Amino acid sequence: MTDPTPADEAPVCSSRGCRAPASWALRWNNPRLHTPDRRKTWLACPAHRGSLGDFLDARGFLREVAALPTSHTLEA
Ligand SMILES: [Zn+2]
């Protein structure tokens, strides 16, 4: 009766192929697809925050970047 799924599912980076735990939420909106108050969220690990953020920012989609609340903060 072992459950292989971690009880606390850590959010994982949205970058393709990356399985690192995410520590940032990039909130974005594509005005051609979404109403102005709609927010899509990409999660990013520290290594991909820049590249994902640049991708969205270059298209004018990036609205805000928020640090994810983590229950395992190492830098408290
Ligand atoms: Zn990543």
Side-chain angles (χ1 to χ4, degrees):
M1 295 277 285
T2 54
D3 184 352
T5 305
D8 56 334
E9 304 175 25
V12 173
C13 179
S14 299
S15 189
R16 185 178 296 273
C18 181
R19 296 174 55 84
S23 49
W24 297 96
L26 308 175
R27 304 199 200 284
W28 61 278
N29 170 281
N30 180 346
R32 296 175 64 177
L33 298 177
H34 307 130
T35 54
D37 58 341
R38 178 93 177 270
R39 287 294 180 273
K40 302 286 286 183
T41 300
W42 279 357
L43 301 176
C45 68
H48 286 117
R49 185 201 169 196
S51 54
L52 290 175
D54 286 350
F55 179 91
L56 294 170
D57 200 29
R59 285 157 181 78
F61 294 172
L62 189 61
R63 293 298 179 268
E64 61 215 28
V65 178
L68 285 182
T70 58
S71 53
H72 306 288
T73 307
L74 298 175
E75 52 181 336

